[in-house]
Amino acid sequence: MANIEVGQLMRKVSHYRRAVWLVDNGPTLEALIRTYLNQSPDVVSTKFVYGTDIDVQIAERSINGRGIGIYFTLYTEGRRTATVENGGSSVNRRNAPRGEEFLKTGIVIMIEGNNVAYIADGHTNDAQITNLFHCAFKAQNFPDETTQFGLMPKMNEDQLQRLIQRGVKSIDLGITSFNATIDQINNAGGNSDWLEPFAAMGEALINAFGRDRTPLEAEAASHIEATIHLGYDGRSRNTLIPQVLANLAHGVEELGSQFKIVTTDDVVITHEKLVIRAEIDVDGDEVAIDAQSAFTPLRMIMSTWRRSGIFEQ
């Protein structure tokens, strides 16, 4: 991209997804993409219609190395953009330069087997990316029975255990009240069972803010967030910490509150969708990503996830 200054780094969040097949013994998503790219040797042959007024083409590809990288670019032919006079009231409409179109969304995707990592300019979601793949395959007349898959963000308990047992930097309980933390740890109710390994922390909290605290102390405690720093590097032979993390994985999957787990690989896991994501640095700016610069860090984060064992599930 000529308009992106080389070395101009920006931080983007890469997201992990998995292609889940609706048919048995189907091909992997990577195998389908390889076939698709072989049938579409240049950019123009990858163009297809997505929706009523959106066109898509794969502007960049990376087929050397592990996995396949592609850059979906979404645009509308003939679409104008609005400009506003800086310091004035004039609002104008401007056409894209001849032979060019204004980019609506750009999505850089790395596929390895049925595992997917992606970053995006603009808004995107799982349904849109899934539909992009389906529309691309349909444009090349792929049989429908070979493309029955969807991208899913949710991991299972086994994946979570494998990921966090490689090492954890911190676990944010997402609880803003010490009182709530103490109650969850000490009550025997359903949502507290998985917090039992942190009973020692509960004792410390009780000592700091006992049941006889004043109303002022209670109000102050309600504004403090609790974060646990386990300092576990994934190499310890001590069985206690791995057991705690295994219990934690089960708790987050089945019963958890609003959690944020940061692993030693800087992978962030949130409870909201139980997704795996990680920040990477790429060349680009707020307008567009330099796709070629994104393929390498995406391969690196995919390698981290592979080593963590989550691809095996």
Side-chain angles (χ1 to χ4, degrees):
M1 288 186 175
N3 293 332
I4 295 179
E5 185 178 332
V6 175
Q8 182 178 345
L9 291 179
M10 65 183 304
R11 180 145 285 200
K12 300 291 289 185
V13 176
S14 59
H15 303 269
Y16 171 77
R17 296 293 185 267
R18 172 170 298 201
V20 177
W21 289 85
L22 306 180
V23 294
D24 295 329
N25 302 319
T28 65
L29 181 57
E30 180 182 354
L32 277 181
I33 288 293
R34 286 192 183 277
T35 301
Y36 173 82
L37 293 179
N38 287 337
Q39 295 180 10
S40 312
D42 49 25
V43 173
V44 69
S45 61
T46 66
K47 183 179 176 182
F48 59 89
V49 176
Y50 177 78
T52 55
D53 63 345
I54 299 177
D55 295 287
V56 183
Q57 62 188 29
I58 295 178
E60 302 274 0
R61 64 183 74 188
S62 175
I63 57 176
N64 296 321
R66 192 159 192 165
I68 295 177
I70 58 175
Y71 182 32
F72 278 131
T73 50
L74 287 68
Y75 59 94
T76 301
E77 286 193 2
R79 182 189 184 208
R80 295 175 294 173
T81 188
T83 60
V84 60
E85 181 184 1
N86 188 351
S89 61
S90 176
V91 176
N92 303 302
R93 290 158 181 79
R94 181 166 299 169
N95 291 321
R98 182 178 296 276
E100 298 181 6
E101 304 293 347
F102 290 114
L103 180 70
K104 294 171 68 75
T105 304
I107 309 170
V108 184
I109 303 175
M110 184 62 61
I111 308 113
E112 184 179 326
N114 283 318
N115 303 284
V116 174
Y118 75 86
I119 57 176
D121 288 315
H123 175 75
T124 191
N125 54 48
D126 298 339
Q128 182 183 56
I129 296 175
T130 300
N131 287 335
L132 285 171
F133 281 121
H134 286 303
C135 289
F137 296 144
K138 193 173 185 65
Q140 288 290 357
N141 298 313
F142 280 38
D144 288 342
E145 59 268 20
T146 66
T147 62
Q148 299 301 302
F149 70 90
L151 294 182
M152 302 295 177
K154 195 172 187 296
M155 58 185 168
N156 60 33
E157 180 185 329
D158 230 15
Q159 286 176 291
L160 183 58
Q161 283 193 34
R162 286 174 178 270
L163 192 63
I164 66 179
Q165 286 181 359
R166 279 181 56 82
V168 173
K169 282 185 177 178
S170 66
I171 301 172
D172 186 345
L173 293 177
I175 300 170
T176 57
S177 170
F178 269 114
N179 188 46
T181 305
I182 294 169
D183 290 343
Q184 286 192 359
I185 289 175
N186 290 292
N187 290 344
N191 196 44
S192 66
D193 294 344
W194 62 279
L195 283 171
E196 288 178 1
F198 304 118
M201 187 189 73
E203 291 300 320
L205 296 179
I206 291 173
N207 292 335
F209 295 94
R211 301 185 191 281
D212 297 328
R213 58 194 159 174
T214 66
L216 187 61
E217 288 173 332
E219 181 180 356
S222 69
H223 297 292
I224 303 175
E225 293 188 359
T227 300
I228 303 171
H229 294 277
L230 293 178
Y232 175 61
D233 64 4
R235 296 174 297 180
S236 173
R237 294 294 180 183
N238 188 311
T239 59
L240 177 61
I241 292 298
Q243 182 179 346
V244 168
L245 294 177
N247 291 341
L248 175 66
H250 175 73
V252 171
E253 170 72 13
E254 299 294 332
L255 306 166
S257 303
Q258 296 301 313
F259 256 74
K260 179 180 178 182
I261 301 172
V262 182
T263 74
T264 51
D265 295 318
D266 290 321
V267 176
V268 179
I269 308 162
T270 64
H271 178 265
E272 182 181 3
K273 294 175 70 179
L274 277 180
V275 296
I276 300 171
R277 59 185 174 89
E279 292 186 340
I280 61 173
D281 291 321
V282 300
D283 285 337
D285 53 28
E286 69 279 0
V287 175
I289 300 167
D290 178 8
Q292 287 295 335
S293 78
F295 291 138
T296 296
L298 280 175
R299 277 196 172 93
M300 291 174 64
I301 197 62
M302 290 280 273
S303 177
T304 296
W305 292 336
R306 187 190 326 109
R307 292 195 307 271
S308 299
I310 63 173
F311 288 6
E312 299 171 14
Q313 302 305 309

